[in-house]
Amino acid sequence: MPAVTVENPLTLPRVTAPADAVARPVLTVTTAPSGYEGEGFPVRRAFAGINYRHLDPFIMMDQMGEVEYAPGEPKGTPWHPHRGFETVTYIIDGVFDHQDSHGGGGTITNGDTQWMTAGAGLLHIEAPPEHLVVSGGLFHGVQLWVNLPAKDKMMAPRYQDIRAGSVQLLTSPDGGALLRVIAGELDGHAGPGITHTPISMVHATLAPGAEITLPWREDFNGLAYVLAGRGSVGVERRPVRTGQTAVFGAGSSLTVRADEQQDGNTPDLEVVLLGGRPIREPMAHYGPFVMNTKDELMQAFEDYQKGRLGTVPAVHGMTDEGPGA
Protein backbone atom coordinates (compact mmCIF):
# COMPACT_ATOMS: atom_id res chain seq x y z
CA MET A 1 0.00 0.00 0.00
CA PRO A 2 2.50 2.64 -1.12
CA ALA A 3 0.30 5.71 -1.82
CA VAL A 4 2.68 8.50 -0.74
CA THR A 5 5.25 7.99 1.95
CA VAL A 6 8.44 9.52 3.39
CA GLU A 7 11.61 7.94 4.77
CA ASN A 8 11.54 9.95 8.01
CA PRO A 9 8.12 11.27 9.13
CA LEU A 10 9.79 13.44 11.79
CA THR A 11 10.87 15.82 9.02
CA LEU A 12 7.18 16.70 8.50
CA PRO A 13 4.99 19.21 10.35
CA ARG A 14 3.50 17.62 13.48
CA VAL A 15 -0.16 17.75 14.40
CA THR A 16 -1.99 17.11 17.65
CA ALA A 17 -5.17 18.33 19.28
CA PRO A 18 -4.93 21.01 21.97
CA ALA A 19 -5.13 19.87 25.59
CA ASP A 20 -8.58 21.40 26.07
CA ALA A 21 -10.10 19.70 22.99
CA VAL A 22 -13.34 17.81 23.60
CA ALA A 23 -12.92 14.16 22.61
CA ARG A 24 -15.54 12.86 20.18
CA PRO A 25 -17.26 9.69 21.45
CA VAL A 26 -17.73 6.71 19.14
CA LEU A 27 -21.42 6.35 18.33
CA THR A 28 -21.27 3.17 16.27
CA VAL A 29 -18.99 0.79 14.38
CA THR A 30 -20.35 -0.94 11.28
CA THR A 31 -18.91 -3.62 8.99
CA ALA A 32 -18.98 -3.01 5.23
CA PRO A 33 -20.64 -5.72 3.13
CA SER A 34 -18.73 -6.94 0.07
CA GLY A 35 -20.05 -6.88 -3.48
CA TYR A 36 -19.11 -6.22 -7.09
CA GLU A 37 -19.24 -3.01 -9.12
CA GLY A 38 -19.18 -2.16 -12.82
CA GLU A 39 -17.99 -5.08 -14.90
CA GLY A 40 -17.10 -7.11 -11.83
CA PHE A 41 -14.42 -5.58 -9.63
CA PRO A 42 -14.79 -6.31 -5.88
CA VAL A 43 -15.85 -3.52 -3.50
CA ARG A 44 -16.67 -2.99 0.16
CA ARG A 45 -19.62 -0.64 0.78
CA ALA A 46 -18.12 1.43 3.58
CA PHE A 47 -21.26 3.33 4.62
CA ALA A 48 -23.85 0.55 4.37
CA GLY A 49 -26.16 0.55 7.39
CA ILE A 50 -25.15 4.02 8.63
CA ASN A 51 -27.95 6.56 9.09
CA TYR A 52 -27.59 9.41 6.58
CA ARG A 53 -27.75 12.03 9.33
CA HIS A 54 -24.29 10.79 10.39
CA LEU A 55 -22.95 10.81 6.79
CA ASP A 56 -24.23 14.11 5.33
CA PRO A 57 -22.65 15.52 3.09
CA PHE A 58 -21.17 12.14 2.12
CA ILE A 59 -23.41 9.77 0.17
CA MET A 60 -21.45 6.55 -0.20
CA MET A 61 -17.91 5.21 -0.28
CA ASP A 62 -16.53 2.05 -1.88
CA GLN A 63 -13.20 0.44 -1.11
CA MET A 64 -12.19 -0.99 -4.50
CA GLY A 65 -10.05 -4.09 -3.99
CA GLU A 66 -7.46 -4.72 -2.62
CA VAL A 67 -7.17 -7.37 -5.35
CA GLU A 68 -4.29 -9.01 -7.24
CA TYR A 69 -5.53 -9.52 -10.79
CA ALA A 70 -4.27 -12.30 -13.04
CA PRO A 71 -3.56 -11.41 -16.69
CA GLY A 72 -6.82 -10.59 -18.47
CA GLU A 73 -8.80 -10.10 -15.25
CA PRO A 74 -8.72 -6.33 -14.50
CA LYS A 75 -12.15 -4.75 -14.84
CA GLY A 76 -13.72 -1.30 -14.71
CA THR A 77 -17.14 0.22 -15.26
CA PRO A 78 -19.09 0.70 -18.50
CA TRP A 79 -20.21 4.15 -19.61
CA HIS A 80 -22.68 5.59 -17.10
CA PRO A 81 -24.20 9.01 -16.25
CA HIS A 82 -23.84 11.21 -13.15
CA ARG A 83 -25.63 14.34 -11.98
CA GLY A 84 -25.84 16.34 -8.77
CA PHE A 85 -22.73 15.34 -6.80
CA GLU A 86 -18.95 14.82 -6.87
CA THR A 87 -16.94 11.62 -7.15
CA VAL A 88 -13.54 11.42 -5.48
CA THR A 89 -11.43 8.51 -6.76
CA TYR A 90 -8.25 7.87 -4.75
CA ILE A 91 -5.94 5.19 -6.16
CA ILE A 92 -3.60 3.59 -3.62
CA ASP A 93 -2.21 0.80 -5.84
CA GLY A 94 -2.64 0.31 -9.56
CA VAL A 95 -3.77 2.45 -12.49
CA PHE A 96 -7.19 3.71 -13.60
CA ASP A 97 -8.15 5.60 -16.76
CA HIS A 98 -11.08 8.04 -16.71
CA GLN A 99 -12.94 9.59 -19.61
CA ASP A 100 -16.17 11.54 -19.96
CA SER A 101 -18.50 12.70 -22.70
CA HIS A 102 -17.19 16.28 -22.37
CA GLY A 103 -13.63 15.29 -23.31
CA GLY A 104 -12.33 15.29 -19.74
CA GLY A 105 -10.48 12.57 -17.87
CA GLY A 106 -6.98 11.21 -17.51
CA THR A 107 -4.93 8.53 -15.80
CA ILE A 108 -4.43 8.22 -12.05
CA THR A 109 -2.02 5.89 -10.30
CA ASN A 110 -0.36 5.27 -6.91
CA GLY A 111 -1.45 8.05 -4.55
CA ASP A 112 -3.28 10.14 -7.18
CA THR A 113 -6.83 11.42 -6.79
CA GLN A 114 -9.32 12.43 -9.44
CA TRP A 115 -12.04 14.77 -8.24
CA MET A 116 -14.94 14.91 -10.65
CA THR A 117 -17.75 17.42 -10.13
CA ALA A 118 -20.61 15.95 -12.16
CA GLY A 119 -22.82 18.99 -11.62
CA ALA A 120 -25.48 19.24 -14.34
CA GLY A 121 -24.42 15.90 -15.75
CA LEU A 122 -22.14 13.89 -18.01
CA LEU A 123 -21.39 10.34 -19.13
CA HIS A 124 -18.34 8.75 -17.58
CA ILE A 125 -16.21 5.60 -17.82
CA GLU A 126 -13.51 4.18 -15.53
CA ALA A 127 -11.32 1.30 -16.63
CA PRO A 128 -7.82 -0.12 -16.20
CA PRO A 129 -5.50 0.70 -19.11
CA GLU A 130 -4.93 -2.00 -21.71
CA HIS A 131 -1.42 -2.81 -20.49
CA LEU A 132 -2.76 -3.59 -16.99
CA VAL A 133 -5.50 -5.78 -18.45
CA VAL A 134 -2.83 -7.73 -20.33
CA SER A 135 -0.37 -8.04 -17.44
CA GLY A 136 -2.66 -8.16 -14.42
CA GLY A 137 -1.43 -6.73 -11.13
CA LEU A 138 -2.44 -5.14 -7.86
CA PHE A 139 -5.42 -2.78 -7.71
CA HIS A 140 -6.65 -0.91 -4.66
CA GLY A 141 -8.51 2.37 -4.25
CA VAL A 142 -11.40 4.29 -2.76
CA GLN A 143 -14.29 6.10 -4.41
CA LEU A 144 -16.20 8.63 -2.32
CA TRP A 145 -19.42 10.40 -3.36
CA VAL A 146 -19.86 13.92 -1.96
CA ASN A 147 -23.24 15.64 -2.24
CA LEU A 148 -23.62 19.11 -3.75
CA PRO A 149 -25.95 21.69 -2.26
CA ALA A 150 -29.02 22.56 -4.33
CA LYS A 151 -27.45 25.80 -5.57
CA ASP A 152 -24.54 23.87 -7.14
CA LYS A 153 -26.24 20.75 -8.46
CA MET A 154 -26.61 22.12 -11.99
CA MET A 155 -23.19 23.75 -12.28
CA ALA A 156 -20.92 22.96 -15.23
CA PRO A 157 -18.93 19.69 -14.79
CA ARG A 158 -15.24 19.97 -13.93
CA TYR A 159 -12.21 17.86 -12.98
CA GLN A 160 -9.37 18.18 -10.53
CA ASP A 161 -6.38 15.91 -11.02
CA ILE A 162 -4.61 15.76 -7.67
CA ARG A 163 -1.19 14.18 -8.09
CA ALA A 164 0.40 12.24 -5.25
CA GLY A 165 3.22 14.76 -4.91
CA SER A 166 0.83 17.62 -4.15
CA VAL A 167 -0.83 15.98 -1.13
CA GLN A 168 -0.09 17.70 2.20
CA LEU A 169 1.98 15.36 4.42
CA LEU A 170 1.90 15.62 8.22
CA THR A 171 2.81 13.45 11.18
CA SER A 172 2.01 12.91 14.86
CA PRO A 173 4.27 14.32 17.60
CA ASP A 174 6.25 11.05 17.88
CA GLY A 175 6.38 10.37 14.14
CA GLY A 176 4.35 7.17 14.50
CA ALA A 177 1.71 8.22 11.97
CA LEU A 178 1.83 9.57 8.43
CA LEU A 179 -1.13 11.79 7.53
CA ARG A 180 -1.95 12.55 3.89
CA VAL A 181 -4.35 15.50 3.64
CA ILE A 182 -6.11 15.09 0.29
CA ALA A 183 -8.77 17.75 0.83
CA GLY A 184 -9.74 20.22 3.49
CA GLU A 185 -7.58 21.38 6.35
CA LEU A 186 -5.95 19.77 9.37
CA ASP A 187 -4.57 22.06 12.08
CA GLY A 188 -4.04 24.83 9.54
CA HIS A 189 -2.45 22.61 6.88
CA ALA A 190 -4.56 22.51 3.71
CA GLY A 191 -4.81 19.68 1.19
CA PRO A 192 -4.97 20.37 -2.56
CA GLY A 193 -8.57 19.29 -3.20
CA ILE A 194 -10.95 22.19 -3.87
CA THR A 195 -14.39 21.40 -2.49
CA HIS A 196 -17.81 22.97 -3.02
CA THR A 197 -19.08 21.38 0.18
CA PRO A 198 -16.58 21.95 3.04
CA ILE A 199 -14.97 18.59 3.88
CA SER A 200 -11.73 17.02 5.09
CA MET A 201 -10.29 13.79 3.66
CA VAL A 202 -7.17 12.27 5.23
CA HIS A 203 -5.43 8.94 4.60
CA ALA A 204 -3.59 8.01 7.82
CA THR A 205 -0.99 5.26 8.22
CA LEU A 206 -0.27 4.33 11.84
CA ALA A 207 2.66 2.15 12.82
CA PRO A 208 1.91 -0.66 15.31
CA GLY A 209 1.11 0.87 18.70
CA ALA A 210 0.93 4.42 17.36
CA GLU A 211 -1.89 6.77 18.36
CA ILE A 212 -3.18 10.04 16.89
CA THR A 213 -5.47 12.60 18.48
CA LEU A 214 -6.34 15.16 15.83
CA PRO A 215 -8.17 18.48 16.05
CA TRP A 216 -11.46 18.19 14.19
CA ARG A 217 -13.82 20.99 13.23
CA GLU A 218 -16.81 21.03 15.54
CA ASP A 219 -19.20 21.87 12.68
CA PHE A 220 -18.05 18.74 10.76
CA ASN A 221 -19.18 15.17 11.25
CA GLY A 222 -16.46 12.56 11.83
CA LEU A 223 -15.93 9.15 10.20
CA ALA A 224 -13.04 6.69 10.19
CA TYR A 225 -12.92 3.81 7.70
CA VAL A 226 -10.29 1.06 8.11
CA LEU A 227 -8.64 0.16 4.80
CA ALA A 228 -6.35 -2.40 6.42
CA GLY A 229 -5.18 -3.53 9.83
CA ARG A 230 -6.51 -3.52 13.36
CA GLY A 231 -6.81 -0.84 15.98
CA SER A 232 -9.20 1.17 18.10
CA VAL A 233 -11.07 4.47 17.93
CA GLY A 234 -12.06 7.05 20.51
CA VAL A 235 -10.68 7.53 24.01
CA GLU A 236 -12.80 4.50 24.92
CA ARG A 237 -10.68 2.41 22.50
CA ARG A 238 -13.52 0.79 20.57
CA PRO A 239 -11.96 -2.03 18.46
CA VAL A 240 -11.97 -1.66 14.65
CA ARG A 241 -10.54 -3.73 11.81
CA THR A 242 -10.36 -3.90 8.04
CA GLY A 243 -13.66 -3.00 6.39
CA GLN A 244 -15.21 -1.27 9.40
CA THR A 245 -16.43 2.32 9.74
CA ALA A 246 -16.51 4.24 13.01
CA VAL A 247 -18.97 7.11 13.42
CA PHE A 248 -17.92 9.79 15.88
CA GLY A 249 -20.23 12.05 17.86
CA ALA A 250 -19.84 15.74 18.67
CA GLY A 251 -16.56 17.23 19.87
CA SER A 252 -13.37 18.93 18.71
CA SER A 253 -10.91 16.01 18.46
CA LEU A 254 -10.87 12.39 17.36
CA THR A 255 -8.53 9.58 18.36
CA VAL A 256 -7.34 6.51 16.43
CA ARG A 257 -4.86 3.93 17.70
CA ALA A 258 -3.12 1.00 15.96
CA ASP A 259 -2.88 -2.36 17.71
CA GLU A 260 0.61 -3.44 18.78
CA GLN A 261 0.27 -6.55 16.63
CA GLN A 262 -0.93 -6.37 13.02
CA ASP A 263 -1.70 -9.13 10.52
CA GLY A 264 1.25 -10.57 8.59
CA ASN A 265 0.15 -9.01 5.28
CA THR A 266 -0.70 -5.64 6.85
CA PRO A 267 2.25 -4.05 8.66
CA ASP A 268 0.36 -0.86 9.62
CA LEU A 269 -3.13 0.41 10.35
CA GLU A 270 -4.49 2.24 7.29
CA VAL A 271 -7.46 4.54 7.86
CA VAL A 272 -9.43 7.09 5.82
CA LEU A 273 -10.64 9.94 8.04
CA LEU A 274 -13.57 12.00 6.74
CA GLY A 275 -15.38 15.04 7.99
CA GLY A 276 -17.81 17.43 6.36
CA ARG A 277 -20.26 20.19 7.13
CA PRO A 278 -23.76 18.72 6.75
CA ILE A 279 -25.83 20.24 3.93
CA ARG A 280 -29.12 19.44 5.66
CA GLU A 281 -31.24 19.55 2.51
CA PRO A 282 -33.72 16.94 1.24
CA MET A 283 -32.00 14.26 -0.84
CA ALA A 284 -33.46 12.13 -3.63
CA HIS A 285 -30.92 9.47 -4.66
CA TYR A 286 -31.30 6.73 -7.23
CA GLY A 287 -28.44 5.01 -9.03
CA PRO A 288 -26.10 7.60 -10.56
CA PHE A 289 -28.21 10.67 -9.76
CA VAL A 290 -28.39 12.61 -6.48
CA MET A 291 -30.94 15.44 -6.47
CA ASN A 292 -33.18 17.22 -3.95
CA THR A 293 -36.63 16.06 -5.10
CA LYS A 294 -38.24 13.13 -6.88
CA ASP A 295 -39.24 15.43 -9.74
CA GLU A 296 -35.61 16.49 -10.22
CA LEU A 297 -34.61 12.83 -10.20
CA MET A 298 -37.16 12.03 -12.91
CA GLN A 299 -35.91 15.00 -14.93
CA ALA A 300 -32.35 13.68 -14.65
CA PHE A 301 -33.42 10.31 -16.06
CA GLU A 302 -35.35 12.00 -18.87
CA ASP A 303 -32.37 14.22 -19.74
CA TYR A 304 -30.12 11.16 -19.77
CA GLN A 305 -32.47 9.15 -21.97
CA LYS A 306 -32.76 12.04 -24.44
CA GLY A 307 -28.98 12.44 -24.70
CA ARG A 308 -28.77 15.77 -22.87
CA LEU A 309 -25.96 14.52 -20.61
CA GLY A 310 -23.74 13.85 -23.61
CA THR A 311 -23.01 10.92 -25.89
CA VAL A 312 -20.37 8.21 -25.82
CA PRO A 313 -17.42 9.21 -28.04
CA ALA A 314 -17.61 7.27 -31.32
CA VAL A 315 -13.91 6.37 -31.16
CA HIS A 316 -14.75 3.72 -28.56
CA GLY A 317 -17.35 2.05 -30.73
CA MET A 318 -19.35 1.47 -27.57
CA THR A 319 -23.08 1.87 -27.04
CA ASP A 320 -24.56 3.34 -23.91
CA GLU A 321 -25.16 0.55 -21.45
CA GLY A 322 -27.49 2.43 -19.15
CA PRO A 323 -27.09 3.90 -15.71
CA GLY A 324 -24.17 2.60 -13.69
CA ALA A 325 -23.45 2.85 -10.02
Side-chain angles (χ1 to χ4, degrees):
M1 192 177 292
V4 183
T5 190
V6 294
E7 193 168 315
N8 181 9
L10 290 173
T11 62
L12 301 171
R14 305 180 197 187
V15 177
T16 190
D20 60 352
V22 177
R24 288 175 173 251
V26 178
L27 302 181
T28 185
V29 173
T30 60
T31 301
S34 297
Y36 290 90
E37 185 54 85
E39 295 173 338
F41 62 84
V43 297
R44 285 189 175 101
R45 307 288 192 192
F47 296 161
I50 300 175
N51 191 298
Y52 183 65
R53 64 190 171 90
H54 297 311
L55 298 177
D56 185 12
F58 307 112
I59 301 163
M60 57 155 277
M61 187 170 77
D62 283 346
Q63 180 180 8
M64 307 179 294
E66 182 175 5
V67 59
E68 182 76 43
Y69 283 120
E73 283 188 342
K75 298 175 176 68
T77 66
W79 283 95
H80 55 280
H82 287 309
R83 172 180 279 180
F85 65 102
E86 301 183 284
T87 64
V88 182
T89 306
Y90 173 50
I91 297 299
I92 300 167
D93 291 288
V95 187
F96 230 23
D97 285 341
H98 291 246
Q99 188 181 3
D100 72 25
S101 52
H102 290 240
T107 299
I108 51 175
T109 186
N110 301 342
D112 293 341
T113 300
Q114 188 198 64
W115 201 295
M116 184 183 78
T117 304
L122 43 64
L123 303 183
H124 185 232
I125 190 170
E126 302 160 301
E130 186 61 31
H131 70 84
L132 183 63
V133 175
V134 171
S135 66
L138 188 61
F139 182 80
H140 189 199
V142 169
Q143 186 171 93
L144 172 70
W145 288 15
V146 185
N147 201 5
L148 286 169
K151 65 182 180 62
D152 293 328
K153 282 193 178 294
M154 296 300 287
M155 67 176 291
R158 75 169 188 185
Y159 278 99
Q160 298 174 68
D161 280 319
I162 301 171
R163 296 302 166 186
S166 69
V167 170
Q168 175 70 62
L169 300 180
L170 307 168
T171 191
S172 51
D174 63 0
L178 177 61
L179 308 170
R180 306 166 187 86
V181 184
I182 297 166
E185 188 178 84
L186 192 57
D187 197 28
H189 303 277
I194 299 170
T195 70
H196 289 280
T197 304
I199 73 165
S200 292
M201 181 178 183
V202 180
H203 173 193
T205 299
L206 285 75
E211 181 175 290
I212 52 174
T213 297
L214 303 177
W216 210 252
R217 281 179 52 166
E218 292 186 70
D219 60 335
F220 278 18
N221 57 7
L223 303 161
Y225 175 73
V226 182
L227 293 167
R230 293 178 177 274
S232 59
V233 287
V235 293
E236 60 268 52
R237 293 198 174 185
R238 182 89 171 261
V240 289
R241 55 177 169 78
T242 303
Q244 291 190 320
T245 301
V247 177
F248 291 90
S252 57
S253 72
L254 54 81
T255 297
V256 179
R257 188 180 190 280
D259 284 356
E260 296 280 355
Q261 299 293 324
Q262 298 293 329
D263 299 334
N265 61 344
T266 305
D268 302 308
L269 175 66
E270 304 281 353
V271 182
V272 174
L273 302 173
L274 295 167
R277 190 170 68 201
I279 296 174
R280 296 193 176 96
E281 293 178 348
M283 185 178 71
H285 173 205
Y286 187 82
F289 303 128
V290 183
M291 305 304 292
N292 292 103
T293 68
K294 184 178 178 181
D295 286 346
E296 290 173 346
L297 208 54
M298 293 174 66
Q299 184 65 54
F301 274 103
E302 180 182 329
D303 289 347
Y304 164 60
Q305 290 163 352
K306 292 187 175 180
R308 296 173 187 147
L309 302 190
T311 56
V312 175
V315 66
H316 282 265
M318 298 171 66
T319 58
D320 198 339
E321 300 185 40

